[in-house]
Amino acid sequence: FHQARSPFIQTARCYARPVRRKRSDIPSHLDDLPPTMLKKDYANVPIINSVDDVVKRLLSLEMASQKEKMKIKTQQLVEKVRRSPNDNGSFEVQVAVLTAKIRTYEEHLQRHPKDKSNRRHMLMAIDCRKKLLAYLRRVRYDTFENTCKQLNIQYTLPPPYCRRITKRWLVKKAFCRKVFEEVRKLKAPERLKQRREWQARARAAKE
């Protein structure tokens, strides 16, 4: 014997959705950073070796935010491809900075797939990186190969341009060709006149 249920409860149960659990097993490109590493602003301070262990822990990546970890990760990628210790604006360095941003956006979108703003920023960064890599591939191919190898980037060639043939495009093309031919017919007598004048001048110059 089943207990009678109200239609309101049945409707509510039909529309009920299971609660999504947070994905904690998504790998991050920041996982290889050791938690004992100091933050970027405190790594080169000479007095850091004489401070207490508690202070070191507070200044380490264990207590750092995502932004501070990103600074160190970006610096590591830049160190792999920069031309000199003072190089901060070459094409390779720009590609490394964009690569760190793109990987962070990808991880964020895996957890929040409906975040359209970050998806748009990621696509803009990918577009910018493609342009830089295409320039490097065209101008300095050895640097392009080394950059892709060091940053673990799989570069794919852009597809060749192809126009979609539509009925409107065919009609427009036929009309333009017809106009071109009519203009050419109207200018034919003038061209013939100019050609005869040039031939007469050439004969006079020879004589």
Side-chain angles (χ1 to χ4, degrees):
F1 178 73
H2 297 282
Q3 192 176 2
R5 299 175 181 176
S6 64
F8 175 75
I9 294 177
Q10 291 180 1
T11 307
R13 287 182 177 177
C14 289
Y15 281 96
R17 295 179 181 178
V19 179
R20 291 184 178 179
R21 297 181 179 179
K22 292 184 179 180
R23 300 179 182 179
S24 58
D25 56 341
I26 297 176
S28 174
H29 71 292
L30 304 175
D31 291 340
D32 58 343
L33 295 176
T36 56
M37 181 185 289
L38 295 175
K39 299 176 186 178
K40 183 181 179 182
D41 299 332
Y42 303 102
N44 298 324
V45 178
I47 201 175
I48 199 68
N49 296 322
S50 60
V51 298
D52 192 11
D53 293 340
V54 179
V55 179
K56 279 188 178 181
R57 187 179 176 188
L58 289 173
L59 301 179
S60 65
L61 295 184
E62 186 181 357
M63 303 291 180
S65 61
Q66 184 83 0
K67 186 176 181 181
E68 292 167 336
K69 292 180 181 179
M70 267 294 297
K71 287 182 181 179
I72 295 180
K73 191 64 181 180
T74 305
Q75 186 181 13
Q76 287 182 354
L77 294 181
V78 168
E79 289 292 338
K80 291 181 179 180
V81 297
R82 66 177 11 166
R83 303 177 187 176
S84 63
N86 298 325
D87 179 20
N88 294 319
S90 63
F91 288 98
E92 304 93 277
V93 172
Q94 296 179 43
V95 169
V97 174
L98 288 171
T99 301
K101 289 182 179 179
I102 290 168
R103 289 173 183 171
T104 305
Y105 284 135
E106 287 175 348
E107 293 170 10
H108 176 79
L109 289 172
Q110 284 181 354
R111 295 183 174 86
H112 310 281
K114 294 185 179 181
D115 192 347
K116 296 182 180 179
S117 177
N118 279 322
R119 185 177 296 277
R120 184 173 67 253
H121 288 306
M122 183 187 73
L123 294 176
M124 290 168 62
I126 290 174
D127 240 11
C128 187
R129 189 179 70 173
K130 278 183 179 179
K131 292 178 182 178
L132 294 173
L133 287 174
Y135 176 80
L136 278 177
R137 186 176 183 272
R138 187 172 66 252
V139 178
R140 301 178 62 185
Y141 191 79
D142 54 342
T143 308
F144 162 78
E145 278 192 334
N146 181 54
T147 303
C148 292
K149 182 180 179 181
Q150 294 293 334
L151 301 178
N152 196 16
I153 298 174
Q154 293 182 356
Y155 181 79
T156 54
L157 291 173
Y161 175 76
C162 58
R163 179 186 289 274
R164 183 185 174 191
I165 299 177
T166 59
K167 188 176 180 181
R168 181 180 178 182
W169 181 78
L170 290 174
V171 172
K172 185 178 179 181
K173 186 176 180 181
F175 176 74
C176 292
R177 182 172 292 178
K178 188 175 181 180
V179 170
F180 173 75
E181 290 175 356
E182 292 295 329
V183 172
R184 195 174 181 181
K185 287 179 182 178
L186 292 174
K187 291 184 177 180
E190 186 178 352
R191 285 183 178 180
L192 183 61
K193 185 179 178 181
Q194 289 180 354
R195 188 180 299 170
R196 288 176 178 174
E197 289 178 357
W198 293 339
Q199 289 176 355
R201 290 175 187 173
R203 289 172 187 172
K206 287 180 180 180
E207 292 177 356

